[in-house]
Amino acid sequence: MTTPVLSLRGLSTRFGSNWVHKGVDLDIPPGEVVSLVGGSGSGKTTLLRQMVGLLTPTEGEVRVFDEPLFAGSREAQRQRRRRFAMCFQGGALFSAFTVYENIAFPLREAGIATEAEIRELVALKLTMVELLPSHAALMPAELSGGMIKRVALARALALEPELLLLDEPTAGLDPTRSASFVALIRDLQQQLGLTVVLVTHDLDTLAALSSKVAVLAERRILAFDSLEAVMQVDHPFIQEFFLSERSARALARAQGA
Amino acid sequence: MADAIRTPELHLSEGCLSPAGDWTLLALGSHANRLRQELAAAKANRWDLSALTRLDSFGALLLWRAWGGRLPADMVLPDGYATQFERLAAMDEAPVPHPPRVGVVDVVAGLGGALLGLFAHLGDFLALIGRLALDCLHLLGRPRNWPLKEFSANLYKVGVKAMPVSALVGFLIGVVLSYLSALQLKAFGADIFIVNILGLGIIRELGPVLVSVLVAGRSGSAMTAQLGVMRVTEEVDALTVMGISNYIRLVLPKVMALSVAMPLLVLWTSAVALVGGMMSAELQLGLSYGYFIETLPKVVPAANLFIALGKGAVFGVLIALVACHFGLRVKPNTESLSANTTASVVTSITLVILVDAVFAIATRSIGVPL
Ligand SMILES: Nc1ncnc2c1ncn2[C@@H]1O[C@H](COP(=O)(O)OP(=O)(O)O)[C@@H](O)[C@H]1O
Ligand SMILES: [Mg+2]
């Protein structure tokens, strides 16, 4: 059996007296695209933040690439961090930098590519997320919501991560852009064996992209399996989420495509 | 998953170049320079990419540049990698434009811009005062709409919470001033004039200016930062859309609070400073507390107190207005937030000292015993 890229062990989270997660177990094998679904406020963002170490779980452990997140020397931790990237729900672009500088920043910090190469890599990342070269000079405050999402994705892709965590990447994108986002992630996934965890409410994206679906409800992972198998699970939330008329239409669309 | 990183290499056999291993940003790390040189030196024109275990866009870019921006005619290209090079080709069609170079004209334009910016500041500042005045007029007949809750919250924040620090600073300044003056006065046998020096100096001049500097640094910066973040997070816009005047809700309570809190803080700080001075005088010169307290009202006319309170109120209004002016100018980025906060503190302290000089000239014949 392959070792999971990311695994959560008995993870519990408490804010004040409010338990958001209780005993979350999740093993994400390499090369999978896992969609994390759950009601609004069920703690999906919180779970992602714990996966990247921004938040320490109240109980339990997070392991990435088969090591505890905070194991090893500073340098070892830095190396580990370079292997995964996160795309935040609100973009989290550096507001004092232009789009170009935002994407170039992690590359410059890595200190491998030359300035001329960085220019081309930034241009490449911009075309990958379907932004125009002329957008490079804009400040984050001058972007639309969907553009912010795409710049954030470009920045997350800058260091060629092996594990990509995306918090609602297609929220605010028009349907065409969502479709090309799906194509892009698929492509990267095939070429680089990228592992992706994405939080999404967008059933089209979910159906088209995910190889597995994890359902977060009742403070734990209710189901973690392929979409078809998850849809068979008899639970009110899952039935509501996937089998409502709206969902059925979206899923049928994805099947037809 | 192929967890271990395989070192990227460039093999040459029978006129065929074949990159092998992981050509990824992570793997290329320390090999990038060596491979760049090998690629530049490579002469063969047959390529075989089938030995690659992984190729990301950085690796692809290195190869693409070595090929001069097109696929070599004679090559083995595994299916999965084709899209990488298609993307690179697409990227070449649409390069990121270089930022324009800064020339002499731009420097001159920058200077002009800075000067015009100064006028813009003045204009905006006047507009702020005007808007505030209009909104106050509007409020005159509507006592229910006065932002009294915000006023009281601000009063607590800028007044009550500033009391410990202003007392500490005032006390120490009083002690130091008294100690240094006492050394000099003793030499002339003019011990008793310590009361005149401390009384006049602290009440009329030092108290108001000291408190202004403290408040500008403490509350002025906080006000600018708060308004600035509200601009960044579009809270100010949300208020506008609700039809609530930013000036009434955000600016007016701050101005009101500081115009009330500042005179009180001046009074408080001056009093503590005088106590410090008095204690130091007693230790240094043996001047009794009773004598000090008895003499103070005789040598410092009451007019000085009113001048101090007046200054306090004016400085308070100035600091609040400057803080709000810069806070509302913040653009939605962190750089602008920090620049405006700095500008707010520097401007309000400078303005306070300028206005203090005007006060000194305007009141030169009032309350100074000759
Ligand atoms: N920093 C925090 N402090 C207290 N409660 C929080 C914090 N962050 C999130 N929560 C709570 O945790 C729950 C999950 O939040 P979140 O992970 O953002 O949900 P979502 O699944 O919509 O992304 C919510 O009930 C939220 O109120
Ligand atoms: Mg969320």
Side-chain angles (χ1 to χ4, degrees):
Chain A
M1 205 197 123
T2 49
T3 50
V5 173
L6 182 77
S7 67
L8 308 178
R9 290 261 165 282
L11 190 128
S12 301
T13 316
R14 193 181 59 188
F15 288 120
S17 60
N18 170 28
W19 286 95
V20 179
H21 308 122
K22 227 163 180 174
V24 169
D25 289 303
L26 187 62
D27 282 321
I28 295 179
E32 300 276 359
V33 178
V34 177
S35 291
L36 181 62
V37 300
S40 179
S42 59
K44 305 177 298 290
T45 299
T46 307
L47 205 58
L48 283 198
R49 291 176 72 86
Q50 288 170 338
M51 289 175 184
V52 294
L54 288 172
L55 210 69
T56 319
T58 315
E59 288 163 14
E61 188 193 29
V62 178
R63 295 172 72 87
V64 274
F65 305 114
D66 208 27
E67 291 164 314
L69 195 52
F70 292 105
S73 65
R74 249 179 111 88
E75 188 51 32
Q77 288 191 30
R78 210 177 66 87
Q79 288 295 339
R80 189 176 311 126
R81 282 190 173 273
R82 269 192 42 191
R83 296 171 63 186
F84 59 84
M86 174 156 173
C87 221
F88 291 85
Q89 201 166 359
L93 300 181
F94 303 123
S95 60
F97 286 178
T98 60
V99 166
Y100 177 85
E101 287 162 339
N102 260 289
I103 304 173
F105 180 75
L107 287 166
R108 287 196 181 127
E109 285 296 297
I112 296 167
T114 64
E115 200 57 34
E117 286 165 353
I118 288 178
R119 257 205 115 60
E120 298 189 304
L121 286 173
V122 171
L124 181 64
K125 298 283 132 79
L126 285 175
T127 50
M128 277 161 96
V129 296
E130 303 199 323
L131 285 168
L132 300 174
S134 58
H135 291 145
L138 295 180
M139 300 298 285
E142 298 164 342
L143 302 177
S144 75
M147 287 161 83
I148 289 177
K149 285 266 146 108
R150 284 181 279 154
V151 176
L153 180 65
R155 186 178 71 177
L157 291 175
L159 284 186
E160 317 284 350
E162 293 163 50
L163 168 63
L164 190 56
L165 303 157
L166 306 167
D167 200 350
E168 310 207 1
T170 53
L173 294 189
D174 56 62
T176 338
R177 292 276 159 53
S178 301
S180 44
F181 164 82
V182 168
L184 172 66
I185 295 292
R186 253 211 199 131
D187 237 25
L188 291 174
Q189 203 272 331
Q190 277 162 10
Q191 285 161 20
L192 302 169
L194 191 68
T195 312
V196 182
V197 179
L198 77 158
V199 168
T200 185
H201 294 297
D202 174 8
L203 283 160
D204 288 310
T205 308
L206 183 137
L209 206 51
S210 42
S211 58
K212 285 198 167 186
V213 176
V215 181
L216 182 66
E218 296 179 357
R219 301 173 185 167
R220 62 198 171 83
I221 299 291
L222 266 185
F224 178 49
D225 215 325
S226 66
L227 179 58
E228 289 73 33
V230 165
M231 279 166 60
Q232 304 304 318
V233 176
D234 189 23
H235 184 277
F237 173 77
I238 294 177
Q239 297 297 314
E240 175 66 25
F241 193 91
F242 293 105
L243 299 181
S244 69
E245 206 174 311
R246 221 183 95 262
S247 326
R249 250 179 305 171
L251 295 175
R253 255 201 315 276
Q255 240 92 69
Chain B
M1 173 162 92
D3 249 332
I5 294 173
R6 274 174 296 259
T7 319
E9 300 291 352
L10 185 63
H11 299 302
L12 174 63
S13 61
E14 299 162 15
C16 176
L17 279 161
S18 55
D22 286 355
W23 281 58
T24 61
L25 191 66
L26 191 70
L28 282 165
S30 50
H31 306 284
N33 264 334
R34 175 173 61 82
L35 287 168
R36 269 188 209 113
Q37 282 161 13
E38 287 182 24
L39 279 172
K43 286 285 177 299
N45 44 17
R46 276 178 53 217
W47 288 80
D48 181 1
L49 299 196
S50 51
L52 277 176
T53 44
R54 250 185 273 179
L55 178 71
D56 70 7
S57 46
F58 181 55
L61 179 68
L62 287 184
L63 292 173
W64 185 250
R65 283 295 153 246
W67 298 337
R70 65 198 137 76
L71 288 178
D74 186 5
M75 78 178 301
V76 181
L77 180 63
D79 274 348
Y81 299 141
T83 44
Q84 298 259 23
F85 297 108
E86 279 164 25
R87 269 198 221 107
L88 280 163
M91 180 267 288
D92 276 346
E93 306 275 292
V96 176
H98 278 273
R101 292 202 177 280
V102 181
V104 181
V105 179
D106 296 304
V107 175
V108 176
L111 265 174
L115 190 68
L116 290 181
L118 195 66
F119 287 118
H121 268 290
L122 279 177
D124 283 0
F125 192 63
L126 282 181
L128 173 73
I129 297 175
R131 285 296 304 266
L132 200 61
L134 284 181
D135 281 344
C136 285
L137 272 183
H138 171 82
L139 281 181
L140 273 185
R142 299 174 180 75
R144 257 175 38 93
N145 289 3
W146 283 88
L148 290 180
K149 248 189 202 146
E150 288 91 337
F151 166 68
S152 105
N154 272 295
L155 193 60
Y156 178 72
K157 261 192 299 196
V158 301
V160 179
K161 284 197 156 176
M163 283 174 75
V165 65
S166 62
L168 179 70
V169 173
F171 183 80
L172 292 178
I173 294 269
V175 169
V176 171
L177 207 61
S178 171
Y179 173 75
L180 290 176
S181 317
L183 289 182
Q184 305 294 317
L185 291 173
K186 224 172 179 171
F188 294 104
D191 294 11
I192 52 165
F193 283 106
I194 188 91
V195 188
N196 304 42
I197 291 179
L198 287 184
L200 215 55
I202 289 177
I203 294 177
R204 189 182 171 107
E205 201 52 49
L206 208 53
V209 172
L210 193 66
V211 172
S212 298
V213 172
L214 274 176
V215 167
R218 189 185 169 281
S219 309
S221 60
M223 288 174 179
T224 306
Q226 189 193 18
L227 284 181
V229 173
M230 288 182 75
R231 290 266 310 163
V232 174
T233 55
E234 300 183 328
E235 290 171 56
V236 173
D237 301 339
L239 271 180
T240 309
V241 172
M242 288 176 202
I244 296 169
S245 160
N246 299 326
Y247 297 90
I248 293 181
R249 266 316 148 88
L250 302 175
V251 180
L252 187 60
K254 294 184 168 59
V255 175
M256 280 164 54
L258 266 189
S259 67
V260 173
M262 275 283 292
L264 297 175
L265 274 178
V266 167
L267 207 61
W268 159 253
T269 310
S270 300
V272 178
L274 283 175
V275 169
M278 190 166 77
M279 285 166 66
S280 178
E282 204 256 353
L283 287 174
Q284 192 76 18
L285 302 171
L287 222 57
S288 78
Y289 292 161
Y291 176 80
F292 196 105
I293 293 169
E294 212 170 281
T295 323
L296 192 61
K298 287 186 202 142
V299 296
V300 183
N304 287 295
L305 199 60
F306 295 116
I307 290 176
L309 292 179
K311 275 189 189 177
V314 171
F315 294 169
V317 170
L318 262 183
I319 293 172
L321 284 176
V322 169
C324 294
H325 167 73
F326 282 102
L328 291 173
R329 285 176 74 90
V330 170
K331 301 215 169 51
N333 70 66
T334 47
E335 197 53 45
S336 162
L337 181 62
S338 82
N340 275 291
T341 310
T342 310
S344 156
V345 175
V346 172
T347 310
S348 55
I349 291 179
T350 314
L351 262 185
V352 160
I353 289 175
L354 274 177
V355 174
D356 186 59
V358 174
F359 260 105
I361 297 168
T363 62
R364 65 189 179 281
S365 55
I366 306 170
V368 190
L370 295 169

